[in-house]
Amino acid sequence: MQEYELIKKIIHAEISNLGLLKGDYHLGKVQAVKANSILSVFVDGSITPQDIPCNPDGNFSVNSEVWVIFINGDSKNKFVISRRAV
C-alpha cells in the first residue's frame, strides 16, 4: 500500500508540473447529442445551451449530467470530459 501512495504522489506531482491540473470544472446537463463528439449542454444551470466538444467514448445521452472543464480557466475553451455519477 505504501508503494501505491508513493506512486500516486509522484504522478500527481508530474501532472501538476506539466500544468495539466489547471482548469475549472463545471456542472452541465446534456440537452442534445449533436454528433459523436459534440453535445448541446446547459452549463451551470444556464438557460441557453452551448455546443461543446466531448469525449467520443463518453456514451452521452439527453439529460446526462456531465463535467465540463474550462481549459486553463477560459470559459470560451470548454470540453465535456465525462458523465457525472449521481
Side-chain angles (χ1 to χ4, degrees):
M1 190 65 164
Q2 288 177 333
E3 293 91 10
Y4 171 77
E5 289 301 319
L6 180 59
I7 292 170
K8 191 167 106 175
K9 286 181 182 180
I10 292 169
I11 291 171
H12 187 274
E14 283 299 310
I15 290 173
S16 181
N17 289 339
L18 292 172
L20 298 176
L21 293 180
K22 294 179 182 174
D24 296 323
Y25 292 87
H26 297 268
L27 306 176
K29 190 165 193 171
V30 176
Q31 189 246 353
V33 178
K34 294 201 165 187
N36 190 33
S37 60
I38 300 287
L39 302 174
S40 184
V41 179
F42 292 107
V43 179
D44 292 335
S46 64
I47 59 171
T48 305
Q50 303 171 41
D51 290 347
I52 303 174
C54 66
N55 177 358
D57 296 330
N59 223 4
F60 301 101
S61 59
V62 173
N63 292 325
S64 291
E65 294 186 345
V66 295
W67 286 109
V68 179
I69 186 168
F70 289 8
I71 313 268
N72 292 324
D74 182 2
S75 65
K76 295 178 183 165
N77 193 6
K78 300 183 253 323
F79 188 77
V80 175
I81 56 172
S82 67
R83 290 188 296 170
R84 295 184 314 181
V86 289

